[in-house]
């Protein structure tokens, strides 16, 4: 009787495993169908290589675009909320984000680091994730040190594009960026200008995308610690990108006043990229995708 009970238990366990596998396979199939439909709607060159979805430029269909998503965070309660609430739907709805490698420059308090890394591992569990843990040098210095260290250590090497964001900056529509990366070989920077009324631009650092190969080898190595992160970054890309006309402005993302935030004082649906601080109720993201 005991043997029969054991066999019945094993059969039941096997049946449950089969159902779970079938459910997971169906879910994976549905996700892939959604990806292919989005790609078709956006006319994206898409391939499935080694069970991983990859995007290609129209100029080179033999090698996939290699894109780094570079996130800097001190893991404030706001950043944690965005990573739990808005990044999952952002990843689900963006071919560009879900096919990117993720590199995080993480500088919370020492006692908060393990929890912070667990949150990042969960949010980006389906992607190649690298976390660099550092001490926090402060607000403006932190924004600049993330670029300085990446340049000095060669983290951007081998990537076609690097997208830099904070966790509270959300790419809600990647169609313009994908089109530029795939079909505009002269585009070397996808940017947002803080000062739309002046001749001298001041480029956002809470979001930008650049081709690292066009930058000089000493880019970001000597930041102006007496100025703002925006002007330091602008000066570093001025000759290589701005003066050569390689910049493309993200549609509808320039702030409407001097506050240097993506989409500042614009409606959320108006801009492709939004730096947004909603009322944090539960873990439902209010940003439409």
């Amino acid at each position: 009787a005991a043997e029969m009970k054991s066999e019945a238990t094993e059969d039941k366990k096997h049946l449950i495993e089969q159902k779970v596998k079938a459910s997971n396979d169906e879910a994976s199939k549905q996700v892939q169908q959604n990806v292919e439909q989005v790609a078709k709607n956006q006319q994206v060159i898409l391939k499935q290589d080694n069970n991983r979805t990859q995007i290609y430029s129209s100029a080179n269909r033999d090698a996939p675009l290699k894109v780094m998503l570079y996130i800097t965070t001190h893991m404030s309660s706001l950043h944690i909320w965005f990573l739990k609430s808005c990044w999952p739907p952002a990843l689900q709805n963006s071919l560009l984000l879900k096919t990117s490698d993720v590199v995080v420059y993480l500088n919370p308090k020492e006692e908060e680091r393990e929890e912070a890394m667990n949150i990042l591992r969960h949010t980006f569990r389906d992607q190649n994730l690298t976390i660099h843990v550092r001490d926090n040098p402060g607000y403006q210095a932190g924004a600049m040190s993330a670029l300085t260290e990446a340049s000095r250590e060669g983290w951007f090497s081998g990537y076609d594009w690097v997208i830099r964001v904070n966790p509270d900056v959300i790419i809600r529509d990647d169609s313009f960026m994908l089109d530029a990366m795939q079909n505009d070989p002269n585009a070397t920077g996808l940017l947002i200008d803080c000062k739309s009324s002046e001749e001298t631009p001041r480029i956002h650092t809470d979001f930008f995308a650049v081709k690292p190969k066009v930058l000089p080898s000493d880019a970001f190595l000597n930041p102006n610690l007496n100025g703002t992160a925006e002007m330091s970054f602008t000066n570093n890309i001025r000759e290589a990108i701005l003066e050569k006309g390689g910049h493309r402005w993200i549609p509808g993302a320039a702030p409407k006043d001097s506050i240097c935030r993506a989409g500042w004082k614009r409606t959320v649906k108006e801009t492709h990229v939004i730096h947004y601080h909603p009322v944090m109720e539960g873990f439902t993201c209010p940003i439409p995708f």
Side-chain angles (χ1 to χ4, degrees):
E3 291 179 358
M4 291 178 62
K5 184 177 180 180
S6 176
E7 290 176 0
T9 301
E10 286 299 319
D11 289 344
K12 184 178 180 181
K13 180 181 178 183
H14 182 62
L15 181 60
I16 292 173
E17 289 175 347
Q18 285 183 318
K19 288 182 177 179
V20 170
K21 183 178 184 300
S23 176
N24 289 341
D25 289 346
E26 184 60 31
S28 297
K29 182 179 179 181
Q30 185 61 49
V31 169
Q32 182 59 27
Q33 288 174 344
N34 291 342
V35 168
E36 291 173 354
Q37 185 60 46
V38 172
K40 182 178 179 181
N41 292 341
Q42 295 184 350
Q43 296 183 328
V44 173
I45 304 166
L46 181 70
K47 292 182 183 180
Q48 190 78 8
D49 292 339
N50 299 321
N51 296 320
R52 185 182 181 193
T53 303
Q54 296 177 314
I55 55 176
Y56 292 73
S57 72
S58 57
N60 185 0
R61 302 195 182 202
D62 296 323
L65 280 173
K66 194 172 182 183
V67 180
M68 175 196 288
L69 182 63
Y70 189 40
I71 300 173
T72 301
T73 177
H74 60 291
M75 277 299 200
S76 64
S77 58
L78 179 69
H79 283 189
I80 290 172
W81 185 86
F82 267 90
L83 287 164
K84 291 182 175 181
S85 301
C86 292
W87 275 91
L91 291 167
Q92 182 179 359
N93 287 277
S94 171
L95 286 168
L96 180 58
L97 295 180
K98 72 174 59 178
T99 55
S100 298
D101 292 341
V102 179
V103 177
V104 181
Y105 189 86
L106 178 66
N107 50 19
K109 296 177 182 178
E110 187 170 354
E111 63 271 20
E112 298 172 353
R113 290 177 178 178
E114 189 58 40
E115 181 185 0
M117 287 190 286
N118 286 335
I119 292 170
L120 291 167
R121 292 185 190 111
H122 180 74
T123 299
F124 302 108
R125 59 191 177 276
D126 296 325
Q127 293 173 268
N128 293 330
L129 172 64
T130 303
I131 303 173
H132 298 284
V133 181
R134 299 293 187 269
D135 292 328
N136 191 342
Y139 181 63
Q140 291 286 350
M144 291 186 277
S145 66
L147 291 177
T148 299
E149 188 157 3
S151 180
R152 184 174 60 242
E153 300 297 327
W155 296 345
F156 298 160
S157 178
Y159 284 93
D160 298 300
W161 285 89
V162 172
I163 304 169
R164 221 297 282 176
V165 292
N166 296 335
D168 55 351
V169 178
I170 299 297
I171 299 171
R172 53 169 299 274
D173 183 344
D174 67 3
S175 57
F176 175 84
M177 298 175 65
L178 270 173
D179 183 59
M181 289 180 181
Q182 291 192 296
N183 302 311
D184 185 351
N186 296 319
T188 55
L190 307 178
L191 309 171
I192 301 171
D193 188 2
C194 296
K195 291 186 174 181
S196 58
S197 61
E198 296 186 13
E199 292 184 4
T200 302
R202 181 162 64 101
I203 307 301
H204 278 263
T205 56
D206 61 12
F207 163 89
F208 64 78
V210 296
K211 277 184 176 178
K213 68 179 182 181
V214 305
L215 298 174
S217 59
D218 61 348
F220 314 127
L221 292 182
N222 299 294
N224 179 8
L225 299 179
N226 295 319
T228 65
E230 290 80 16
M231 284 312 303
S232 181
F233 175 70
T234 301
N235 290 332
N236 270 280
I237 68 167
R238 187 183 306 281
E239 183 177 349
I241 295 177
L242 299 175
E243 292 180 356
K244 293 183 178 179
H247 56 291
R248 307 289 183 267
W249 303 120
I250 299 295
K256 288 193 171 182
D257 61 20
S258 61
I259 301 298
C260 198
R261 284 186 178 176
W264 180 250
K265 290 192 175 180
R266 295 183 181 273
T267 61
V268 176
K269 290 185 178 180
E270 186 181 357
T271 177
H272 288 202
V273 180
I274 184 75
H275 188 162
Y276 185 54
H277 290 178
V279 176
M280 296 181 290
E281 295 181 348
F283 287 101
T284 300
C285 184
I287 298 174
F289 293 94

